[in-house]
Amino acid sequence: PRPTADTTWIVMPTTLQQLLSVIIATSFAAGINVYATVLTLGLLSRANLVALPPALSLLDSWWTIGISGALFFIEIFADKIPYFDVVWNFLHTFVRIPVAALLAYQAGSQLPPQWQLTASALGAAVAFAAHAGKTALRIGVNATPEPLTNVMVSTAEDGAAIGLTWLATVHPYAAATVAIFCMVALMFAVRLLLRGLRNGIAVLKQQ
């Protein structure tokens, strides 16, 4: 049986405010790990734990779940290899941001065209911020001499993408708040890392 309002936690979204909150949270998650985001949404829908908008019904097809699951499995390992992860993340500039924009556009299929385009632009912007911050953070983390930090950061990102996507389906406003907080924290972390790298380079030049 497909999800109904009586068998799910939430039929998403029910208001414009909820829609925008869901878009902010899931777009941030997609900017971090788009395959985990798509897989989580698909599995939640398949398990009748959330009713996705009709325009996003493709997410709960077994083909989508299988492909996103396989790609997520690959990313689990690829994203933890020092230096290769930077290349991986750069290439995913052309995956994470467009997919986030498409998900946001489809989620707003019941909105007037101008609002639907605005939702898509919001999704792309949030995903870009998350993706750019993640990539910059990885460049800084790769400067550390041991690989453990890279693995820990990557694992935390995977968990955050899954957890934030789930939270968006249950508590959209809380999820959006967490996403915004994470964006701000990510910007500060990147800034500190880059400052540390510049100071380190300056010290090396003086020697």
Side-chain angles (χ1 to χ4, degrees):
R2 305 313 303 142
T4 66
D6 296 328
T7 59
T8 59
W9 290 336
I10 183 172
V11 180
M12 55 178 292
T14 56
T15 67
L16 178 59
Q17 290 78 9
Q18 279 191 342
L19 172 62
L20 294 178
S21 297
V22 168
I23 287 174
I24 290 172
T26 56
S27 296
F28 183 86
I32 298 296
N33 191 321
V34 66
Y35 305 127
T37 302
V38 171
L39 177 63
T40 301
L41 287 172
L43 289 176
L44 287 174
S45 180
R46 268 287 164 184
N48 291 347
L49 298 178
V50 62
L52 297 173
L56 291 176
S57 60
L58 182 63
L59 293 182
D60 70 0
S61 77
W62 285 118
W63 278 105
T64 303
I65 292 172
I67 293 172
S68 60
L71 291 171
F72 177 41
F73 181 78
I74 293 172
E75 178 152 348
I76 287 176
F77 297 97
D79 197 45
K80 293 175 177 60
I81 302 173
Y83 299 105
F84 177 76
D85 64 331
V86 176
V87 177
W88 177 269
N89 283 304
F90 173 76
L91 294 176
H92 276 76
T93 302
F94 308 102
V95 179
R96 293 169 183 157
I97 298 168
V99 170
L102 179 61
L103 290 176
Y105 184 84
Q106 292 297 90
S109 59
Q110 304 301 316
L111 299 175
Q114 65 272 22
W115 278 102
Q116 193 175 9
L117 289 173
T118 300
S120 182
L122 175 64
V126 172
F128 174 78
H131 170 72
K134 171 180 178 173
T135 304
L137 182 64
R138 287 310 186 80
I139 293 173
V141 169
N142 279 330
T144 59
E146 41 73 35
L148 182 60
T149 303
N150 197 300
V151 173
M152 292 175 60
V153 170
S154 177
T155 302
E157 290 169 350
D158 294 341
I162 294 171
L164 192 59
T165 302
W166 168 80
L167 186 62
T169 67
V170 185
H171 301 293
Y173 301 129
T177 301
V178 171
I180 293 171
F181 175 82
C182 287
M183 276 191 285
V184 174
L186 191 57
M187 287 189 293
F188 274 105
V190 169
R191 185 176 179 181
L192 288 174
L193 275 172
L194 293 179
R195 180 182 298 176
L197 285 175
R198 285 196 297 267
N199 292 339
I201 292 172
V203 170
L204 290 175
K205 287 182 177 179
Q206 292 174 358
Q207 294 178 350

